[in-house]
Amino acid sequence: MANMKWEDPFRKSVCSASFLLLSFVIGVKGGVLFSTLPKTLNVVVSTGPHNDSSHVVKAGVDHLFVSWVLNESVAAGVDASYKTVKTKLCFAPVSQVDRKWRKTFNDLHKDKTCSFGISSQPYKAAGNQTIWLIPKRIPFATYFVRAYALNATGMEVAFGQSTDRNITHNLFQVEPISGKHASLDIAAACFSAASIFSLVAFFIIEKLMMRRQKDL
Ligand SMILES: *[C@@H]1O[C@H](CO)[C@@H](O)[C@H](O)[C@H]1NC(C)=O
Ligand SMILES: *[C@@H]1O[C@H](CO)[C@@H](O)[C@H](O)[C@H]1NC(C)=O
C-alpha cells in the first residue's frame, strides 16, 4: 500500500494544511489578553439623582449615566485603529467570590467580569455618553463600568474603566427594586396558590356531596 505512506507528498500537504486549519481555529478561539490592553479611555459613571453616599441604585428604576472620552495625555495617533466603543457593566471582585460564572479571565473570550452590555457607539476622540435604565434582570451585586475600544474587526485594542486598576474605588451597588415589592410578589403568589387550592377543594367536596346524595 505505497499510497498510504506518509511520504506521499499529497497526503503530507493535506496533513499540514489541516494542522494549519486546526491551529487557526484554536488561535481564533483564544481572545485578546486583557493585560495587553492599554488604558487610554477615561470612563465616568454617575448613578444619577438617586445617588447617595452609599452608591446604591435600584434595578428597573434607576439609570446609569455613562460617559467615555480619549485620555488627552495619550500620544497622538494611538487611537488610529479605534472604530467602536462598547461599555459594559462589570462585577467588582467582592461580588465574584465563590461565583465561577462571574470569574475574571485574562483571555477576554473567557472573561465573565463584564457580563452586561450597556452601549456600543462609534469611536470619536471627543467621546460619547449613554443614559441606561438598569434592567430588572441585573443581579444584586457590586459593579463598575468598563469601556473597550474595538478595531474594525471587532477586536479589543484598548480600554478604560470607572474605577482604578485594582477595582477598589467608585464602585456601586445594584439592588432589587425593594423588599416591599418582593414580599408583595410572594403574597400574590401565595394568594393565587391558595385560591387554586380552595377551588380544587370546592370541587372535591361538591363531588363527594353529590355522591352521598345518590347513595341516599
Ligand atoms: C490619563 O492618562 C495619564 C497618563 O497615563 C494618567 O496619569 C491620568 O490619570 C489619566 N487620566 C484619567 C482621568 O484617567
Ligand atoms: C453617540 O452615540 C449615539 C448612539 O448611542 C449615536 O447615535 C451618536 O451619533 C453618537 N454621537 C457622536 C457624537 O458620535
Side-chain angles (χ1 to χ4, degrees):
M1 290 266 232
N3 62 342
M4 285 292 274
K5 278 187 179 164
W6 285 108
E7 290 86 86
D8 182 333
F10 176 71
R11 273 173 184 278
K12 229 179 183 174
S13 58
V14 165
C15 185
S16 52
S18 42
F19 264 112
L20 206 70
L21 193 70
L22 190 71
S23 51
F24 176 71
V25 168
I26 290 169
V28 164
K29 267 198 163 177
V32 171
L33 299 181
F34 180 68
S35 58
T36 65
L37 298 181
K39 187 170 181 273
T40 61
L41 299 175
N42 296 344
V43 177
V44 174
V45 59
S46 155
T47 42
H50 288 272
N51 194 7
D52 55 25
S53 55
S54 58
H55 294 275
V56 174
V57 283
K58 303 215 177 295
V61 176
D62 292 333
H63 294 79
L64 292 183
F65 299 81
V66 179
S67 68
W68 56 265
V69 64
L70 183 69
N71 183 327
E72 282 180 347
S73 47
V74 300
V78 152
D79 59 343
S81 65
Y82 301 3
K83 282 286 174 290
T84 313
V85 171
K86 283 194 172 172
T87 59
K88 295 181 171 190
L89 184 66
C90 315
F91 292 109
V94 68
S95 293
Q96 293 177 300
V97 178
D98 295 332
R99 290 173 175 90
K100 276 188 191 154
W101 62 95
R102 298 179 181 176
K103 203 170 176 227
T104 294
F105 286 93
N106 194 22
D107 180 340
L108 289 179
H109 274 192
K110 290 188 195 159
D111 188 35
K112 304 283 191 293
T113 316
C114 304
S115 300
F116 309 103
I118 296 174
S119 68
S120 175
Q121 298 171 318
Y123 172 75
K124 289 216 170 68
N128 205 338
Q129 57 199 38
T130 317
I131 299 174
W132 190 60
L133 173 65
I134 304 161
K136 274 188 192 164
R137 67 188 164 91
I138 300 300
F140 183 13
T142 301
Y143 296 92
F144 64 98
V145 172
R146 182 179 287 166
Y148 287 109
L150 310 181
N151 66 13
T153 61
M155 243 175 62
E156 296 88 353
V157 287
F159 83 104
Q161 58 194 25
S162 63
T163 178
D164 56 307
R165 267 209 188 256
N166 295 327
I167 313 176
T168 52
H169 292 98
N170 298 325
L171 305 175
F172 55 93
Q173 209 170 63
V174 174
E175 282 189 343
I177 297 175
S178 75
K180 227 180 210 171
H181 278 75
S183 55
L184 265 179
D185 286 351
I186 291 166
C190 287
F191 180 75
S192 49
S195 50
I196 290 167
F197 176 78
S198 40
L199 203 68
V200 169
F202 173 78
F203 271 112
I204 291 172
I205 290 167
E206 202 186 44
K207 275 257 165 72
L208 283 176
M209 283 179 57
M210 274 163 71
R211 205 174 276 171
R212 258 190 140 178
Q213 275 178 343
K214 261 191 199 164
D215 289 347
L216 285 176

